[in-house]
DNA sequence: CCATTAAACTCGTCTCACGAGCATAAAGGA
DNA sequence: TCCTTTATGCTCGTGAGACGAGTTTAATGG
């Protein structure tokens, strides 16, 4: 379907130059290990076009081909791989206590290259350490690096960190992470990127509309449509934790009243137990699940929390109508620890007509790697465009 | 940006056949009265291409050209219009008490052709009456009709009406509205389509991400990204009224607890006044605004309702990050009647970092015509595609 | 009435994909 | 072992769509 209010697309032949090539590269990304014959079939390409396109891409070091294992009669085809001197992106995941820096070829699988812990609350130090790592990777891969994407446990607007309860940061400038001028630096919220990764490679693969929800400190998540997170006007979409689904009497550190955040993470469990707010809601929540084994009061507190979580999920399903819901971080253990309470609240919160075939609510499958995969994905999205390939081709000819 | 999880796009030349033509037609839709020279500039088309494309489209009765008023020196250009024998779509708006049937040419402006009231609660009768009207229009326009779209005040899933509190309907089969076999019949929720129209032609024109919220019986609305409503997996997205933002003790007719629906429409005002639930919350709410003039109790009840509405809007802004919020139906009069309460609740409910530059909350500008415009828009979206133009061209050559 | 200006028209060229026909590399049967 | 079958890759002529340089046209304004 056309996008009649989108920016005026240019129609020039220049923009058709990479049509077939991009389709092939996308297919390669989506199905690692795909054969050339398969790609041609899927894209309804003639064998002539397939020959021409793969030859061009091989020439430009955008892919390489190796003989495929024979599957029967007929001339054997080839498997398409990223080229050993092809473009790469750097993906960074900046979490509460540590960070990881990975490299991904155009198949989108990040391979962790460096990692480190940061006890420090000083953003400048963390940024400096991560920046060093990025620069080392950039030195190693040189011109092959075409973009850098950072997943950060923070609210991100217009590509900049605005605040982070998890990290204890206010606005932080991450532009120092760019290892070279002119290299695109993309910054995204970690839960948003994890959701994108789940929708592309994980539990929600294939779903047109997927909802990802994660609990760490508060709630994060995103609605993903056709592999792209609904980012909102400033990039801060998916802050479901700040819907007033919680206790209207409680003031959230974000400034609003009744945020769902306060009703589902470790702070909620502590409140139900009459204990003081935990310094680190994440580890407190994990510990509570262990304590619940032998302690009925803790079990009950966990159950009430799971119930509040299920009720909110039901509301989000009502409002957004996802085809599947994936749970990340503490969300899945919480649901598992009080499965009945969660399920009851979920069903009770659904509109009646949705109860016959509600969307599956499943555990995220990429675990801790989701955000890293998502960062690699958005970085590659940037590289695998007409403009990106134009730039790459300009560097790789003549 | 590519859509890496979307269906495998075909790459064949066949799909490039209409590239330029579609871009020109889209431009024509977006800016009624544009000149050919303007379109060429905007799309970065060479004058040669513009000549070629417009000639082809004229030949196919997809557009016509008339001399433009001279604006200065130079050879005068032409204004692009829908062709008098070009394709049209039928747009239907099926509301609580009446219906309208309109015809739109490819500029997307629906012109009402027939209308009627339906006191009847019997869906079959209503569908029959509307179907007759559609058939009459179809008879008049013949093969020019390429699609029919129906905006209906009901929950729609997979293109079918599931239920409607407003109309008092359960599942209703609207396929009888199709005036001819093979003609696409698109069915959409009225608030969703009104939101799409606001984002394309109305108050939210130009916004990448827009939130439309309307109050009739309960709350309807949609998030619109680049002109396309986020429809969800089954097409029932945008049911924000069934987020549990209301009183958790109240059971909604939908089956869930605490729905926002109950906190913002006429039922909420009645409850605050200690009056019994109104039979028709819409007219009750309108009447309440009039009563509020001279009655402090009513004013207070309206204020509390506006406050609950503002709080919910704030939550939706937090969660979805729209660039603008448009208010339709009773939402705007409610906000206007208790502007201070609404604004205070809105601000108080926003995350702190959003308060500096919150998205504008404005009245929808298309009024009662929004849904009709939206229906025409999605019908045209269907017609103005490669496949749609292929079909049209097949009927108009040789 | 002619210079100026902006736009339309003409036409040769380019690029990309198609598709028919041919070449190639395997499996399987005689 | 050789030939047939099968699936695929390669070659090359064709066609569509857009470009862009050069030319023509229709207006304004001095």
């Amino acid at each position: 379907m056309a996008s009649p209010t989108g920016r005026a697309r240019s129609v020039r032949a220049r923009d058709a130059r990479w049509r077939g090539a991009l389709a092939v590269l996308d297919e390669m990304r989506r199905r690692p290990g795909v054969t050339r014959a398969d790609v041609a079939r899927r894209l309804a390409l003639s064998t002539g076009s397939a020959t021409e396109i793969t030859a061009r891409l091989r020439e430009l070091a955008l892919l390489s081909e190796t003989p495929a294992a024979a599957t029967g009669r007929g001339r054997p085809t080839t498997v398409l791989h990223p080229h050993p001197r092809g473009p790469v992106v750097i993906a960074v995941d900046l979490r509460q206590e540590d960070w990881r820096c990975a490299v991904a070829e155009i198949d989108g699988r990040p391979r962790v290259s460096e990692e480190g812990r940061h006890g420090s609350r000083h953003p400048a130090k963390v940024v400096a350490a991560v920046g060093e790592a990025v620069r080392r990777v950039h030195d190693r891969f040189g011109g092959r690096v075409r973009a850098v994407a950072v997943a950060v446990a923070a609210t991100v607007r217009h590509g900049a960190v605005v605040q982070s309860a998890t990290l204890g940061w206010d606005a932080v400038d991450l532009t120092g992470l760019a290892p070279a001028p002119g290299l695109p630096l993309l910054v995204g919220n970690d839960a948003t990127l994890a959701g994108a990764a789940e929708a592309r490679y994980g539990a929600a693969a294939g779903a047109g509309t997927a909802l990802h929800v994660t609990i760490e400190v508060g709630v994060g998540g995103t609605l993903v449509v056709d592999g792209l997170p609904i980012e909102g006007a400033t990039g801060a979409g998916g802050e479901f934790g700040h819907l007033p689904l919680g206790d209207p009497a409680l003031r959230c550190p974000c400034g609003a009243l009744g945020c769902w955040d306060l009703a589902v993470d470790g702070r909620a469990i502590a409140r139900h137990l009459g204990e003081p707010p935990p310094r680190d809601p994440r580890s407190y929540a994990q510990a509570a699940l262990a304590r619940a084994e032998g302690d009925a009061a803790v079990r009950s507190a966990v159950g009430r929390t799971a119930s509040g979580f299920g009720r909110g999920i039901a509301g989000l399903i009502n409002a957004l109508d996802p085809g599947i819901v994936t749970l990340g971080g503490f969300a899945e253990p919480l649901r598992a620890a009080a499965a009945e309470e969660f399920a009851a609240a979920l069903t009770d919160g659904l509109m009646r007509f949705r109860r016959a075939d509600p969307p599956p609510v499943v555990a995220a499958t990429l675990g801790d790697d989701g955000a890293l995969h998502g960062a690699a994905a958005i970085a590659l999205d940037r590289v695998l465009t007409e403009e990106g390939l134009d730039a790459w081709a300009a560097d790789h000819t003549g």
Side-chain angles (χ1 to χ4, degrees), chain A residues 28 33 61-65 80-87 104-108 144:
Chain A
M28 211 172 122
L62 283 163
L63 60 74
S64 63
E65 293 181 80
L80 306 184
H81 298 285
H83 193 281
R85 292 187 307 283
E105 296 184 297
I106 58 176
D107 61 356
R144 293 182 62 193

PDB file of all heavy atoms in Angstrom, chain A residues 28 33 61-65 80-87 104-108 144:
ATOM      1  N   MET A  28      18.678 -12.179   2.243  1.00  0.00           N
ATOM      2  CA  MET A  28      19.852 -12.803   2.864  1.00  0.00           C
ATOM      3  C   MET A  28      19.866 -12.549   4.372  1.00  0.00           C
ATOM      4  O   MET A  28      20.262 -13.412   5.160  1.00  0.00           O
ATOM      5  CB  MET A  28      21.064 -12.110   2.247  1.00  0.00           C
ATOM      6  CG  MET A  28      22.284 -12.929   2.113  1.00  0.00           C
ATOM      7  SD  MET A  28      23.415 -11.919   1.137  1.00  0.00           S
ATOM      8  CE  MET A  28      24.766 -11.840   2.289  1.00  0.00           C
ATOM      9  N   GLY A  33      21.814 -18.210   5.306  1.00  0.00           N
ATOM     10  CA  GLY A  33      22.060 -19.509   4.694  1.00  0.00           C
ATOM     11  C   GLY A  33      21.159 -19.804   3.521  1.00  0.00           C
ATOM     12  O   GLY A  33      21.078 -20.927   3.055  1.00  0.00           O
ATOM     13  N   ALA A  61      31.795  -6.556  -3.157  1.00  0.00           N
ATOM     14  CA  ALA A  61      32.111  -7.104  -1.833  1.00  0.00           C
ATOM     15  C   ALA A  61      30.914  -6.992  -0.892  1.00  0.00           C
ATOM     16  O   ALA A  61      31.079  -6.756   0.310  1.00  0.00           O
ATOM     17  CB  ALA A  61      33.335  -6.415  -1.216  1.00  0.00           C
ATOM     18  N   LEU A  62      29.727  -7.137  -1.444  1.00  0.00           N
ATOM     19  CA  LEU A  62      28.550  -7.097  -0.581  1.00  0.00           C
ATOM     20  C   LEU A  62      28.057  -8.498  -0.241  1.00  0.00           C
ATOM     21  O   LEU A  62      27.291  -8.682   0.700  1.00  0.00           O
ATOM     22  CB  LEU A  62      27.432  -6.292  -1.242  1.00  0.00           C
ATOM     23  CG  LEU A  62      27.667  -4.785  -1.152  1.00  0.00           C
ATOM     24  CD1 LEU A  62      26.787  -4.028  -2.144  1.00  0.00           C
ATOM     25  CD2 LEU A  62      27.395  -4.281   0.262  1.00  0.00           C
ATOM     26  N   LEU A  63      28.460  -9.484  -1.005  1.00  0.00           N
ATOM     27  CA  LEU A  63      28.161 -10.859  -0.626  1.00  0.00           C
ATOM     28  C   LEU A  63      29.180 -11.784  -1.253  1.00  0.00           C
ATOM     29  O   LEU A  63      29.920 -11.403  -2.156  1.00  0.00           O
ATOM     30  CB  LEU A  63      26.734 -11.262  -1.030  1.00  0.00           C
ATOM     31  CG  LEU A  63      26.303 -11.239  -2.487  1.00  0.00           C
ATOM     32  CD1 LEU A  63      26.905 -12.402  -3.282  1.00  0.00           C
ATOM     33  CD2 LEU A  63      24.787 -11.358  -2.572  1.00  0.00           C
ATOM     34  N   SER A  64      29.216 -12.991  -0.737  1.00  0.00           N
ATOM     35  CA  SER A  64      30.055 -14.021  -1.345  1.00  0.00           C
ATOM     36  C   SER A  64      29.215 -15.276  -1.458  1.00  0.00           C
ATOM     37  O   SER A  64      28.200 -15.415  -0.775  1.00  0.00           O
ATOM     38  CB  SER A  64      31.301 -14.276  -0.501  1.00  0.00           C
ATOM     39  OG  SER A  64      30.933 -14.771   0.762  1.00  0.00           O
ATOM     40  N   GLU A  65      29.633 -16.154  -2.345  1.00  0.00           N
ATOM     41  CA  GLU A  65      28.848 -17.366  -2.578  1.00  0.00           C
ATOM     42  C   GLU A  65      29.726 -18.593  -2.379  1.00  0.00           C
ATOM     43  O   GLU A  65      30.882 -18.608  -2.783  1.00  0.00           O
ATOM     44  CB  GLU A  65      28.291 -17.364  -4.010  1.00  0.00           C
ATOM     45  CG  GLU A  65      27.266 -16.290  -4.242  1.00  0.00           C
ATOM     46  CD  GLU A  65      26.717 -16.323  -5.666  1.00  0.00           C
ATOM     47  OE1 GLU A  65      25.836 -17.146  -5.945  1.00  0.00           O
ATOM     48  OE2 GLU A  65      27.182 -15.522  -6.492  1.00  0.00           O
ATOM     49  N   LEU A  80      24.351 -17.861  -0.145  1.00  0.00           N
ATOM     50  CA  LEU A  80      24.774 -16.459  -0.074  1.00  0.00           C
ATOM     51  C   LEU A  80      25.257 -16.132   1.338  1.00  0.00           C
ATOM     52  O   LEU A  80      24.584 -16.426   2.322  1.00  0.00           O
ATOM     53  CB  LEU A  80      23.620 -15.535  -0.459  1.00  0.00           C
ATOM     54  CG  LEU A  80      22.949 -15.819  -1.802  1.00  0.00           C
ATOM     55  CD1 LEU A  80      21.896 -14.768  -2.101  1.00  0.00           C
ATOM     56  CD2 LEU A  80      23.992 -15.866  -2.912  1.00  0.00           C
ATOM     57  N   HIS A  81      26.432 -15.544   1.423  1.00  0.00           N
ATOM     58  CA  HIS A  81      27.008 -15.155   2.712  1.00  0.00           C
ATOM     59  C   HIS A  81      27.392 -13.683   2.680  1.00  0.00           C
ATOM     60  O   HIS A  81      27.607 -13.147   1.596  1.00  0.00           O
ATOM     61  CB  HIS A  81      28.298 -15.939   2.975  1.00  0.00           C
ATOM     62  CG  HIS A  81      28.112 -17.403   3.069  1.00  0.00           C
ATOM     63  ND1 HIS A  81      27.553 -18.000   4.176  1.00  0.00           N
ATOM     64  CD2 HIS A  81      28.410 -18.404   2.206  1.00  0.00           C
ATOM     65  CE1 HIS A  81      27.517 -19.315   3.972  1.00  0.00           C
ATOM     66  NE2 HIS A  81      28.018 -19.592   2.786  1.00  0.00           N
ATOM     67  N   PRO A  82      27.560 -13.101   3.849  1.00  0.00           N
ATOM     68  CA  PRO A  82      28.200 -11.789   3.879  1.00  0.00           C
ATOM     69  C   PRO A  82      29.611 -11.925   3.308  1.00  0.00           C
ATOM     70  O   PRO A  82      30.252 -12.963   3.472  1.00  0.00           O
ATOM     71  CB  PRO A  82      28.260 -11.445   5.378  1.00  0.00           C
ATOM     72  CG  PRO A  82      27.220 -12.280   6.007  1.00  0.00           C
ATOM     73  CD  PRO A  82      27.137 -13.532   5.188  1.00  0.00           C
ATOM     74  N   HIS A  83      30.063 -10.890   2.653  1.00  0.00           N
ATOM     75  CA  HIS A  83      31.402 -10.918   2.084  1.00  0.00           C
ATOM     76  C   HIS A  83      32.440 -10.682   3.176  1.00  0.00           C
ATOM     77  O   HIS A  83      32.232  -9.859   4.052  1.00  0.00           O
ATOM     78  CB  HIS A  83      31.507  -9.840   1.008  1.00  0.00           C
ATOM     79  CG  HIS A  83      32.721  -9.960   0.145  1.00  0.00           C
ATOM     80  ND1 HIS A  83      33.962  -9.544   0.549  1.00  0.00           N
ATOM     81  CD2 HIS A  83      32.888 -10.473  -1.104  1.00  0.00           C
ATOM     82  CE1 HIS A  83      34.838  -9.783  -0.415  1.00  0.00           C
ATOM     83  NE2 HIS A  83      34.201 -10.342  -1.436  1.00  0.00           N
ATOM     84  N   PRO A  84      33.561 -11.407   3.126  1.00  0.00           N
ATOM     85  CA  PRO A  84      34.578 -11.251   4.182  1.00  0.00           C
ATOM     86  C   PRO A  84      35.180  -9.856   4.243  1.00  0.00           C
ATOM     87  O   PRO A  84      35.772  -9.487   5.261  1.00  0.00           O
ATOM     88  CB  PRO A  84      35.645 -12.288   3.813  1.00  0.00           C
ATOM     89  CG  PRO A  84      35.335 -12.711   2.409  1.00  0.00           C
ATOM     90  CD  PRO A  84      33.870 -12.496   2.206  1.00  0.00           C
ATOM     91  N   ARG A  85      35.051  -9.090   3.176  1.00  0.00           N
ATOM     92  CA  ARG A  85      35.506  -7.696   3.253  1.00  0.00           C
ATOM     93  C   ARG A  85      34.320  -6.751   3.099  1.00  0.00           C
ATOM     94  O   ARG A  85      34.482  -5.597   2.743  1.00  0.00           O
ATOM     95  CB  ARG A  85      36.549  -7.404   2.175  1.00  0.00           C
ATOM     96  CG  ARG A  85      37.888  -8.136   2.405  1.00  0.00           C
ATOM     97  CD  ARG A  85      38.952  -7.679   1.407  1.00  0.00           C
ATOM     98  NE  ARG A  85      38.486  -7.795   0.026  1.00  0.00           N
ATOM     99  CZ  ARG A  85      38.419  -8.951  -0.659  1.00  0.00           C
ATOM    100  NH1 ARG A  85      38.790 -10.083  -0.098  1.00  0.00           N
ATOM    101  NH2 ARG A  85      37.975  -8.962  -1.896  1.00  0.00           N
ATOM    102  N   GLY A  86      33.130  -7.254   3.370  1.00  0.00           N
ATOM    103  CA  GLY A  86      31.919  -6.470   3.196  1.00  0.00           C
ATOM    104  C   GLY A  86      31.667  -5.503   4.347  1.00  0.00           C
ATOM    105  O   GLY A  86      32.429  -5.447   5.310  1.00  0.00           O
ATOM    106  N   PRO A  87      30.600  -4.750   4.229  1.00  0.00           N
ATOM    107  CA  PRO A  87      30.278  -3.753   5.254  1.00  0.00           C
ATOM    108  C   PRO A  87      29.893  -4.407   6.582  1.00  0.00           C
ATOM    109  O   PRO A  87      29.341  -5.504   6.609  1.00  0.00           O
ATOM    110  CB  PRO A  87      29.084  -3.001   4.665  1.00  0.00           C
ATOM    111  CG  PRO A  87      28.518  -3.919   3.646  1.00  0.00           C
ATOM    112  CD  PRO A  87      29.631  -4.753   3.133  1.00  0.00           C
ATOM    113  N   ALA A 104      28.548  -6.677  13.576  1.00  0.00           N
ATOM    114  CA  ALA A 104      27.634  -7.515  12.789  1.00  0.00           C
ATOM    115  C   ALA A 104      27.886  -7.298  11.315  1.00  0.00           C
ATOM    116  O   ALA A 104      28.031  -6.160  10.856  1.00  0.00           O
ATOM    117  CB  ALA A 104      26.189  -7.190  13.133  1.00  0.00           C
ATOM    118  N   GLU A 105      27.966  -8.399  10.583  1.00  0.00           N
ATOM    119  CA  GLU A 105      27.997  -8.303   9.129  1.00  0.00           C
ATOM    120  C   GLU A 105      26.556  -8.150   8.646  1.00  0.00           C
ATOM    121  O   GLU A 105      25.623  -8.080   9.458  1.00  0.00           O
ATOM    122  CB  GLU A 105      28.668  -9.546   8.551  1.00  0.00           C
ATOM    123  CG  GLU A 105      30.128  -9.653   8.980  1.00  0.00           C
ATOM    124  CD  GLU A 105      30.829 -10.834   8.315  1.00  0.00           C
ATOM    125  OE1 GLU A 105      30.417 -11.990   8.571  1.00  0.00           O
ATOM    126  OE2 GLU A 105      31.769 -10.585   7.532  1.00  0.00           O
ATOM    127  N   ILE A 106      26.374  -8.146   7.340  1.00  0.00           N
ATOM    128  CA  ILE A 106      25.040  -7.800   6.852  1.00  0.00           C
ATOM    129  C   ILE A 106      24.015  -8.907   7.050  1.00  0.00           C
ATOM    130  O   ILE A 106      22.873  -8.761   6.644  1.00  0.00           O
ATOM    131  CB  ILE A 106      25.047  -7.343   5.372  1.00  0.00           C
ATOM    132  CG1 ILE A 106      25.626  -8.434   4.484  1.00  0.00           C
ATOM    133  CG2 ILE A 106      25.805  -6.066   5.215  1.00  0.00           C
ATOM    134  CD1 ILE A 106      25.564  -8.056   3.027  1.00  0.00           C
ATOM    135  N   ASP A 107      24.406 -10.007   7.686  1.00  0.00           N
ATOM    136  CA  ASP A 107      23.365 -10.962   8.070  1.00  0.00           C
ATOM    137  C   ASP A 107      22.745 -10.585   9.411  1.00  0.00           C
ATOM    138  O   ASP A 107      21.798 -11.210   9.868  1.00  0.00           O
ATOM    139  CB  ASP A 107      23.914 -12.384   8.109  1.00  0.00           C
ATOM    140  CG  ASP A 107      25.041 -12.534   9.114  1.00  0.00           C
ATOM    141  OD1 ASP A 107      25.434 -11.516   9.710  1.00  0.00           O
ATOM    142  OD2 ASP A 107      25.511 -13.660   9.320  1.00  0.00           O
ATOM    143  N   GLY A 108      23.300  -9.545  10.053  1.00  0.00           N
ATOM    144  CA  GLY A 108      22.660  -8.999  11.246  1.00  0.00           C
ATOM    145  C   GLY A 108      22.954  -9.711  12.555  1.00  0.00           C
ATOM    146  O   GLY A 108      22.403  -9.329  13.584  1.00  0.00           O
ATOM    147  N   ARG A 144      35.198  -0.703   6.605  1.00  0.00           N
ATOM    148  CA  ARG A 144      34.084  -1.638   6.551  1.00  0.00           C
ATOM    149  C   ARG A 144      32.957  -1.193   7.477  1.00  0.00           C
ATOM    150  O   ARG A 144      31.803  -1.575   7.292  1.00  0.00           O
ATOM    151  CB  ARG A 144      34.542  -3.050   6.946  1.00  0.00           C
ATOM    152  CG  ARG A 144      35.510  -3.692   5.964  1.00  0.00           C
ATOM    153  CD  ARG A 144      35.873  -5.101   6.389  1.00  0.00           C
ATOM    154  NE  ARG A 144      34.706  -5.971   6.425  1.00  0.00           N
ATOM    155  CZ  ARG A 144      34.697  -7.176   7.003  1.00  0.00           C
ATOM    156  NH1 ARG A 144      35.768  -7.639   7.604  1.00  0.00           N
ATOM    157  NH2 ARG A 144      33.598  -7.908   6.997  1.00  0.00           N
TER     158      ARG A 144
END
